[in-house]
Amino acid sequence: QKEVEQNSGPLSVPEGAIASLNCTYSDRGSQSFFWYRQYSGKSPELIMFIYSNGDKEDGRFTAQLNKASQYVSLLIRDSQPSDSATYLCAVERSSGYSTLTFGKGTMLLVSP
Amino acid sequence: GAVVSQHPSRVICKSGTSVKIECRSLDFQATTMFWYRQFPKQSLMLMATSNEGSKATYEQGVEKDKFLINHASLTLSTLTVTSAHPEDSSFYICSAYRDPKAFFGQGTRLTVV
């Protein structure tokens, strides 16, 4: 069974610090990777997606992908209290059809 | 951007009754929609893939006769929880794919009493 693993946390960082969220996956054929943010009781919202090895930056967010290590991460610079949420790593199945497998998520707490 | 609308956002029903949840893609056509279920402090678990004009594809362990999915148009998929029981109480979320991203509905909090 294809799996996506994340540390459940909580990961606590002070305001202004860099938060680093990590994810590993087992489906070696996966090509597309996504990070979603989910506030309590709300639906997930897309933060970033990445397809190629290396880094992809969007504002305060940087996604990093290493397909050889089956590892994807999300860095949040200048963390804000409003970033406090659960971050879900999602991996598109190698079978395609746009089907995502989600990790259990990492809870991030940013303290003022 | 693309918007997926889900209705209702909350529903409380009696055990043994059925509940229908609607998922609409508001500004794009979605040939494929996905239905997820999320229990407290757990991740989203894919229940089924809904394909317009054909039968849904269910994940292993999901009862197709209990969770009826209809995707009659390119903008609407429905999930009906039949003969609901308290253990079906959960957060149900739909998703529609518009290359290269999946967009999520607001979710439906189902409570079966």
Side-chain angles (χ1 to χ4, degrees), chain A residues 1 34 36 38 41-46 49 51 88-89 92-93 97-105 107, chain B residues 32 34 36 38 41-46 49 59 91 93-94 97 99-107 109:
Chain A
Q1 183 172 348
F34 304 82
Y36 286 85
Q38 186 177 27
K42 301 295 185 182
S43 198
E45 55 178 322
L46 182 67
F49 60 92
Y51 302 144
L88 302 170
C89 173
E92 185 175 17
R93 296 181 185 177
Y97 305 109
S98 319
T99 306
L100 300 178
T101 300
F102 284 84
K104 290 186 176 181
M107 181 183 292
Chain B
T32 302
F34 304 89
Y36 294 85
Q38 186 177 35
K41 299 189 185 302
Q42 298 295 315
S43 189
L44 282 74
M45 297 300 295
L46 180 65
T49 303
E59 294 296 297
F91 191 46
I93 308 173
C94 73
Y97 186 77
D99 195 20
K101 310 173 191 178
F103 294 90
F104 287 86
Q106 301 95 319
R109 175 76 58 193

Side-chain angles (χ1 to χ4, degrees), chain B residues 30-78:
Chain B
T31 55
T32 302
M33 291 186 179
F34 304 89
W35 287 96
Y36 294 85
R37 179 168 54 183
Q38 186 177 35
F39 292 106
K41 299 189 185 302
Q42 298 295 315
S43 189
L44 282 74
M45 297 300 295
L46 180 65
M47 299 175 66
T49 303
S50 169
N51 302 297
E52 187 270 334
S54 64
K55 291 183 179 181
T57 302
Y58 289 82
E59 294 296 297
Q60 191 173 8
V62 178
E63 300 174 59
K64 59 182 66 176
D65 293 331
K66 180 172 183 63
F67 299 99
L68 302 180
I69 291 173
N70 184 286
H71 194 157
S73 77
L74 288 171
T75 60
L76 174 64
S77 175
T78 61

Side-chain angles (χ1 to χ4, degrees), chain A residues 2-109:
Chain A
K2 308 302 183 183
E3 294 182 347
V4 177
E5 299 287 342
Q6 291 181 260
N7 188 318
S8 61
L11 172 66
S12 297
V13 300
E15 185 175 357
I18 296 176
S20 178
L21 304 162
N22 305 315
C23 170
T24 58
Y25 59 95
S26 63
D27 187 349
R28 186 170 286 279
S30 295
Q31 298 295 321
S32 304
F33 307 87
F34 304 82
W35 282 100
Y36 286 85
R37 178 174 62 197
Q38 186 177 27
Y39 292 108
S40 180
K42 301 295 185 182
S43 198
E45 55 178 322
L46 182 67
I47 300 286
M48 292 195 68
F49 60 92
I50 185 168
Y51 302 144
S52 304
N53 278 327
D55 295 358
K56 179 181 179 182
E57 187 174 319
D58 183 1
R60 295 187 296 113
F61 301 96
T62 299
Q64 300 174 316
L65 175 62
N66 184 323
K67 291 183 181 178
S69 300
Q70 295 175 241
Y71 174 92
V72 59
S73 66
L74 178 70
L75 299 178
I76 306 174
R77 290 182 299 281
D78 189 23
S79 296
Q80 301 297 310
S82 58
D83 294 327
S84 298
T86 296
Y87 289 80
L88 302 170
C89 173
V91 175
E92 185 175 17
R93 296 181 185 177
S94 56
S95 57
Y97 305 109
S98 319
T99 306
L100 300 178
T101 300
F102 284 84
K104 290 186 176 181
T106 298
M107 181 183 292
L108 173 66
L109 298 175

